[in-house]
Amino acid sequence: MKRAVLGAMTLGGVSLGMMRWLASRHTKARAEREASRWLMVTINRRPEEVVPDGRLPEPLARLGESIEVQVREAPGDRGTELGARPLMSVPTGVEEVMARLGGEDPRQAVRRALRESKGLVETGEVLVPDDLSTRPPTPTGMLVDLAARRAGGEGRL
């Protein structure tokens, strides 16, 4: 009997601790920092090639005044860091989840534009993943399919 009570207290303590930890991670200030953070890609080209005459690559230029853009040399002579962040308010909490699922989160458009810009500058075209439905289903292939579906067209940076 004593053992069951001790186990319940421990379980209660862990769940209470977990709730406190989750609450501390999702403070309003943290959510605002996350929402306004820079999204970056490293492009294997000199800054002059990435933004010739100060012109942004087409995918970023399409977003116009709704984003802020940063261009700087990457450390260690590794090309150029191209960064952007939305200037409009970004949803947080439950609204963020709903916006991402609905494809209406402004960060999704910024991620997609950065990925497309990287492809255009480095290869001259926007690279898209192969159609995976032509391969036989394997455990690894199913994981890749799941990751591609979850990316929502924006990819990973």
Side-chain angles (χ1 to χ4, degrees):
M1 179 90 169
K2 226 178 192 183
R3 187 175 204 170
V5 171
L6 180 59
M9 287 173 48
T10 304
L11 179 61
V14 169
S15 61
L16 180 59
M18 181 63 79
M19 289 178 4
R20 285 183 182 156
W21 179 77
L22 285 172
S24 72
R25 293 197 36 97
H26 295 289
T27 64
K28 183 174 177 144
R30 180 186 168 98
E32 288 172 359
R33 279 194 314 271
E34 287 292 316
S36 66
R37 73 177 186 187
W38 287 92
L39 302 167
M40 307 288 286
V41 292
T42 301
I43 300 176
N44 191 19
R45 296 284 185 270
R46 292 187 320 270
E48 306 83 50
E49 296 175 75
V50 175
V51 285
D53 301 323
R55 290 186 326 265
L56 292 174
E58 175 57 29
L60 284 172
R62 270 187 266 138
L63 295 177
E65 299 295 319
S66 66
I67 61 169
E68 184 177 358
V69 177
Q70 234 183 42
V71 180
R72 63 180 180 233
E73 287 187 25
D77 199 31
R78 291 193 171 101
T80 303
E81 287 183 344
L82 179 62
R85 67 178 172 184
L87 292 176
M88 63 194 80
S89 67
V90 176
T92 58
V94 174
E95 292 85 20
E96 175 186 7
V97 173
M98 298 308 291
R100 285 185 61 82
L101 290 174
E104 298 171 4
D105 187 336
R107 291 172 293 199
Q108 289 173 309
V110 173
R111 283 187 194 100
R112 187 177 302 112
L114 284 169
R115 189 185 70 249
E116 290 175 1
S117 296
K118 177 180 172 72
L120 279 173
V121 172
E122 288 183 346
T123 67
E125 61 183 292
V126 176
L127 303 174
V128 295
D130 292 336
D131 181 16
L132 301 175
S133 63
T134 59
R135 305 187 315 175
T138 63
T140 304
M142 289 189 285
L143 284 173
V144 171
D145 286 344
L146 175 66
R149 280 194 308 275
R150 286 194 40 117
E154 66 190 86
R156 299 285 296 168
L157 295 180

